Amino acid sequence: VNVELLKGEIVTLNVFLKPIPKVNFKLNIKDVFGQNLSNISVAIQGTNYLKSFKTDTEDGLLIPDLFEGYFSIYVGGWGYINNCFTEYLTQENNTFSIILLEGISDDFSVDQGWETSWEEGDGMWERVKPEASYSFGSTLQYDPEGDASAFDCGDFAFCTEINPLISASSSTVNWKNLLISPQIIFPSNLNDATFSFKYWLGIDELGNDTLKIGLINKNDTVFKLLATVDTPTNKWVWSSFNLSDVFPNAESVRFIVEINDNLEPWNIVDAALDEFKVEFSTGGKELTNVCFEQTKLEIVVLCANKGVKLFDSKGRLIRFTNQKKLFIGGLKTGLYLLETKEFKSQKIIIR
């Protein structure tokens, strides 16, 4: 509104406000076979808008009365790989479908059902957008300033309390805090798995606190990774381990992260987890180059039974077949993982 103001005069304007059109947003969620999925988490983010929903039927999700504009949609559920897209929603452009691929993977863009517990005080683990924190008078960074990857859905990670309005000393971990995944059940034809993830341990240079990561099998807990001030700290660190090195005969496990401040003496310590993934395998021999032939259009597996899967570098299943020949035409140049039921994943380059 443009108006010319004169000293000592009151100017009255007649203003007509045009309402922003509302949108009834509909999302259909399917698997790779076109079947509708239920019990799926959906997060919708727009300008001054962020809400999470859970589908309780196979009819998808209907959200009435959104305002026209750009929205980012994040979709996922335990046992599926998160997917996402951004669209300008209008009354005409309001219905969408999205496909979820099977897999145990979590970038924490939606709530997949991880549990938290703690000994005393308030629980510290939260699914949140990371923001850097510092202690007064120090340049040491205790919390990450962003999530572990720029190429996943959203900017979320699991972190111990993120609060940019207070110093790190006021939002640090006290006592023991646990982060535990939902149950991971292993397919009957596969007897091993690789757990990969990125973690962050923010700790004082003289701190004696610990970050431990491992697996729970029934009443037993075994920690495979121990991070302390003597390991890489105050940055994102990639790590992995195999099921066979922890619980060789387990039929199911849960993934556990424990951050512990023993308070003797008290130190600032924070932690984060991101890019969690489980890749199942037989624990068998490697799928070497002599076992498959690759052309520009297809891969033929020579020394395995029928059934081939191809994953991208982020672990997302992008092609599969129940035969020995897998069509790879139209894929972008890059690194991929080729897998069969009898062999471990093999890295390949598609050009």
Side-chain angles (χ1 to χ4, degrees):
V1 176
N2 296 318
V3 60
E4 183 177 349
L5 300 178
L6 299 175
K7 185 177 180 180
E9 293 187 7
I10 297 175
V11 177
T12 301
L13 298 177
N14 293 321
V15 178
F16 175 75
L17 299 179
K18 183 179 180 180
I20 300 176
K22 290 185 177 181
V23 177
N24 293 327
F25 171 71
K26 177 66 185 299
L27 180 65
N28 299 305
I29 306 168
K30 302 177 180 294
D31 64 14
V32 293
F33 303 104
Q35 300 297 313
N36 293 325
L37 298 175
S38 60
N39 197 33
I40 299 297
S41 295
V42 179
I44 302 177
Q45 183 175 8
T47 303
N48 299 319
Y49 185 95
L50 178 59
K51 288 187 177 181
S52 297
F53 305 88
K54 193 87 166 182
T55 62
D56 54 6
T57 69
E58 296 181 355
D59 295 330
L61 184 69
L62 176 63
I63 307 297
D65 296 335
L66 292 178
F67 290 106
E68 279 194 2
Y70 280 105
F71 286 86
S72 295
I73 316 298
Y74 307 102
V75 185
W78 191 249
Y80 295 93
I81 300 171
N82 293 348
N83 201 350
C84 55
F85 64 95
T86 298
E87 278 285 347
Y88 191 90
L89 302 185
T90 66
Q91 292 176 330
E92 294 76 25
N93 189 41
N94 66 343
T95 301
F96 303 89
S97 293
I98 193 168
I99 294 175
L100 295 184
L101 302 177
E102 290 187 357
I104 304 294
S105 174
D106 205 348
D107 58 15
F108 304 113
S109 55
V110 297
D111 180 6
Q112 287 202 14
W114 291 64
E115 298 177 5
T116 62
S117 63
W118 54 95
E119 283 185 334
E120 297 184 43
D122 297 325
M124 304 299 291
W125 284 109
E126 57 181 345
R127 190 180 63 84
V128 68
K129 290 188 175 183
E131 293 190 51
S133 66
Y134 304 87
S135 182
F136 288 128
S138 171
T139 59
L140 191 63
Q141 181 179 333
Y142 292 96
D143 289 303
E145 62 184 346
D147 72 344
S149 174
F151 304 104
D152 59 2
C153 285
D155 305 314
F156 287 83
F158 248 106
C159 306
T160 54
E161 185 179 358
I162 299 293
N163 189 338
L165 302 180
I166 59 179
S167 72
S169 60
S170 299
S171 63
T172 184
V173 170
N174 291 310
W175 299 286
K176 183 187 297 183
N177 279 253
L178 304 179
L179 175 64
I180 303 173
S181 77
Q183 196 83 0
I184 302 166
I185 301 174
F186 301 105
S188 59
N189 60 323
L190 303 176
N191 57 17
D192 204 357
T194 299
F195 295 79
S196 62
F197 49 90
K198 291 183 180 179
Y199 72 89
W200 175 290
L201 175 62
I203 192 171
D204 282 330
E205 296 175 353
L206 301 177
N208 62 348
D209 307 313
T210 59
L211 175 71
K212 296 190 290 186
I213 298 177
L215 299 176
I216 302 172
N217 178 28
K218 298 179 180 178
N219 295 324
D220 295 327
T221 300
V222 174
F223 290 106
K224 184 62 178 175
L225 180 145
L226 173 64
T228 69
V229 70
D230 297 320
T231 59
T233 61
N234 305 84
K235 65 178 181 179
W236 284 111
V237 179
W238 181 89
S239 186
S240 70
F241 58 82
N242 290 333
L243 171 71
S244 55
D245 296 328
V246 185
F247 292 116
N249 300 314
E251 296 179 354
S252 65
V253 297
R254 301 179 77 185
F255 186 83
I256 181 172
V257 183
E258 176 190 295
I259 180 70
N260 189 20
D261 185 347
N262 61 23
L263 303 179
E264 295 178 1
W266 177 88
N267 292 288
I268 300 176
V269 61
D270 281 297
L273 179 74
D274 201 7
E275 297 298 304
F276 173 77
K277 182 172 62 175
V278 181
E279 293 181 284
F280 299 114
S281 67
T282 62
K285 54 188 177 180
E286 299 288 341
L287 179 62
T288 60
N289 291 344
V290 298
C291 282
F292 68 91
E293 295 178 350
Q294 179 180 348
T295 69
K296 289 185 177 181
L297 294 179
E298 66 180 12
I299 294 174
V300 181
V301 177
L302 305 175
C303 50
N305 292 327
K306 295 179 181 180
V308 184
K309 294 180 180 180
L310 189 69
F311 299 83
D312 66 12
S313 59
K314 294 174 63 177
R316 297 178 298 191
L317 177 64
I318 56 171
R319 296 279 173 90
F320 68 94
T321 178
N322 292 323
Q323 305 302 314
K324 286 193 172 187
K325 293 184 179 181
L326 179 69
F327 178 71
I328 58 173
L331 293 178
K332 295 181 179 179
T333 299
L335 175 68
Y336 294 83
L337 293 174
L338 182 69
E339 186 177 286
T340 72
K341 293 181 179 179
E342 293 89 355
F343 295 90
K344 293 181 180 180
S345 298
Q346 166 68 34
K347 295 180 180 179
I348 65 170
I349 300 294
I350 293 180
R351 295 182 172 87

